Amino acid sequence: MSGLKLRGVRKSFGSVEVIRGIDLDIEPNEFVVFVGPSGCGKSTLLRMIAGLEGITEGELDIGGTRMNDVDPSKRGIAMVFQTYALYPHMSVRQNMGFALKFAGVAKDEIDRQVDEAARILELAPLMHRRPGELSGGQRQRVAIGRAIVRHPEVFLFDEPLSNLDAELRVHMRIEIARLHKELATTIIYVTHDQVEAMTLADKIVVMRDGSVAQVGSPLTLYDDPDNLFVAGFIGSPKMNFLKGVVAESGADVRLPEYGDQIIPLHDSVARPAAGTDVTVGIRPEQFEPDGRTKLDLKIEMIEHLGGETYVYASHNDGEVITVAARDARAVKPGQNFVARFNPTSVLLFGTDGNRIR
Amino acid sequence: MNFMIVRRAAVYLSLSIATFISIFPFYWMVVGATNESRDIVTGKSTIGTNLVANFQNLLAQVDLAQVFWNSAVVAIAATVLTLAVSSLAGYGFEIFRSRVRERIFQILLLLLSIPFAALMVPLFVMISRAHLSNTFTAVILPTVASIFIIFYFRQATKAFPGELRDAARVDGLKEWQIFLYVYLPSMRSTYAAATIIVFMTSWNNYLWPLIVLQTEDKKTITLVISSLTSAYTPDFGVILLSTVLATLPTLIIFFVLQRQFVQGMLGSVK
């Protein structure tokens, strides 16, 4: 199994730079997820790794070999596309064996490998059907099967679940996780769905405007984001951001929009100068009934999810704060609501968007 | 309610008139082929008993097998070559990015507006200088790069998913293999529709074969029908029978490819 190294990788279309110098190490057998909003360049980066887009500048290394100018079929990769990209005129068996046929593999060997992939993916009863006769989930399994038979060093998945309904997406997510264990191979997976990223990845690469915003394990990104973008992108519902000012003592942050509530700065946090504007980040699930700091809010909307309730509330019609409340079944829109949290759980960000550590 | 009924009646009436206008000439042609010339002139529009006699007369005047062979060779060769060249061009125009692509395509579309009458003299001079006059090559060659068919294939290629091409590249196919093994079979209905259009155009082509084909042994069915009509006393029964026979191949092709033709005109990838 191969790892990948990207060094200073850039991509331009004419004068527009879409990938702006990516440095990244991916270990063998690692499940890496590229995540980010639409247009951040994650799919372009994946296509550059696949060889479907050229690399304008920088080095791409797969399994210790420079791959910048190598044909896609010779990079040791296999790709699963968002729209499945199954050949519509071929049966499932023909689709899965097509690459091997072109590689000159003997028919018996193709049949053996296709049957093996069909067994892993439970596709055996569908082998003679055409893609048009399959459901979305079945098509996606065939697309994965087509990738498996090539025995690639690296699997590339380009938003493979985004065309499936919610239930099937959860099912296929578990399937892909199982496959990663069974095949023990490197996987690079692109998605804009951060739940997929959090549940599947060993390592998440958060991308923004063609650059890497942060790389880390799912929980590292959740607990310890480097900047406002990552803090806001990872986690659902997203983190609340409150405007704050460092108090004159330098040891506290005031929240002017919330009646000058005081948040004492943690000892381990760097102390910005008094009067500095900061952003205070707190996740909806970090509000707790016995928290020391309180925000007086008015409820605007409520979402009951059964096990949990999300309360959307604001202070004096200001920024809407999302609070995950376990015992809030009785609350109603228009009511006053006190949200409490412990100052130790908040994160501080400077005016440049970077974390104050 | 009354308004709805009147509107529906008006729609059915206009559709019935349109259907009658479309079908009657065909009906009249088939009926005429079974009647004597003088019955046709007097306007008889029921099935007659002169079909066999008309057929014998036609065979006496025309080497039917030779004429059909000539038309078939021209139409089949033109269809195969036009589809090969024009579909490749349409595919290329849509798939490959280039700065000058749109400009070249606009020039091609502009060329569509030049009438054939303006082209036939220079074309004839070119064919003569190439010593190709009175050959099937002369009939076929100018039709091979059809701007309309290039345009049609370019539009149809827009429905060809880019990810299929990407998947084929990852599977190790070269560009020509992608065209041959992925694009071509995926676009069957587009090819079927284009086959009907090109075959019908080529089979029914009259003016250009009239200019470049001179000897009797090379003449196509349209030229022969035309020569039958220009006789001193034209036999309308024979003329209409030859017209029926000339219509049969295009009808057969249309009915065989009808389903794909409709899909192809709708632009689906199957």
Side-chain angles (χ1 to χ4, degrees), chain B residues 194-256:
Chain B
T195 298
I196 292 174
I197 294 166
V198 177
F199 186 86
M200 279 174 69
T201 309
S202 183
W203 183 270
N204 296 330
N205 197 1
Y206 172 68
L207 188 55
W208 181 240
L210 179 70
I211 295 166
V212 288
L213 298 177
Q214 284 99 35
T215 57
E216 286 300 318
D217 64 317
K218 296 278 195 231
K219 288 200 169 169
T220 57
I221 189 79
T222 47
L223 302 183
V224 168
I225 294 173
S226 169
S227 67
L228 289 173
T229 59
S230 59
Y232 187 66
T233 49
D235 185 335
F236 292 114
V238 170
I239 292 167
L240 289 174
L241 177 62
S242 65
T243 315
V244 169
L245 293 175
T247 313
L248 285 179
T250 49
L251 271 182
I252 291 166
I253 286 206
F254 183 80
F255 282 118
V256 169

Side-chain angles (χ1 to χ4, degrees), chain A residues 47-285:
Chain A
R47 289 171 60 80
M48 288 162 77
I49 293 169
L52 297 171
E53 296 285 354
I55 295 172
T56 309
E57 204 181 307
E59 299 289 321
L60 168 68
D61 183 310
I62 302 176
T65 312
R66 187 180 184 272
M67 290 288 181
N68 284 44
D69 305 311
V70 176
D71 196 74
S73 63
K74 298 191 172 75
R75 293 187 177 205
I77 56 110
M79 191 158 171
V80 178
F81 295 88
Q82 183 178 354
T83 57
Y84 324 123
L86 298 175
Y87 306 122
H89 56 289
M90 293 182 198
S91 66
V92 169
R93 177 175 288 283
Q94 287 167 328
N95 260 287
M96 288 168 70
F98 194 57
L100 298 182
K101 189 176 154 192
F102 266 85
V105 177
K107 193 179 175 304
D108 290 351
E109 180 59 17
I110 294 175
D111 285 343
R112 197 187 63 74
Q113 294 195 26
V114 168
D115 287 338
E116 173 62 13
R119 184 193 61 76
I120 294 170
L121 293 159
E122 295 165 13
L123 284 169
L126 311 173
M127 296 306 273
H128 297 291
R129 292 204 200 163
R130 290 198 176 180
E133 298 161 347
L134 302 175
S135 68
Q138 288 168 337
R139 282 184 215 185
Q140 193 53 272
R141 279 181 10 231
V142 175
I144 294 170
R146 183 170 67 176
I148 288 176
V149 295
R150 300 188 62 214
H151 293 291
E153 299 287 313
V154 182
F155 275 100
L156 307 176
F157 287 83
D158 188 5
E159 307 207 27
L161 308 185
S162 46
N163 283 7
L164 303 179
D165 62 49
E167 195 181 337
L168 204 51
R169 202 179 300 174
V170 174
H171 175 72
M172 285 305 296
R173 207 166 68 203
I174 296 164
E175 285 273 299
I176 290 171
R178 181 180 66 83
L179 263 176
H180 180 232
K181 273 192 185 149
E182 194 167 333
L183 300 173
T185 186
T186 313
I187 292 182
I188 305 176
Y189 186 105
V190 164
T191 181
H192 61 263
D193 181 341
Q194 47 113 350
V195 177
E196 273 174 37
M198 294 291 283
T199 51
L200 287 171
D202 296 322
K203 183 156 83 187
I204 296 179
V205 179
V206 183
M207 291 189 65
R208 182 193 193 188
D209 295 337
S211 303
V212 172
Q214 191 176 350
V215 180
S217 72
L219 289 181
T220 303
L221 296 185
Y222 180 83
D223 294 333
D224 194 18
D226 282 346
N227 48 55
L228 271 175
F229 177 75
V230 175
F233 195 81
I234 299 291
S236 177
K238 63 182 286 188
M239 182 182 271
N240 298 296
F241 296 118
L242 318 176
K243 284 178 190 158
V245 180
V246 177
E248 280 155 27
S249 66
D252 305 308
V253 169
R254 279 191 298 114
L255 300 175
E257 291 180 5
Y258 298 89
D260 274 339
Q261 279 287 319
I262 295 290
I263 302 174
L265 286 177
H266 200 272
D267 290 342
S268 62
V269 173
R271 300 288 165 96
T276 306
D277 287 331
V278 292
T279 301
V280 176
I282 177 156
R283 295 205 179 274
E285 52 275 24

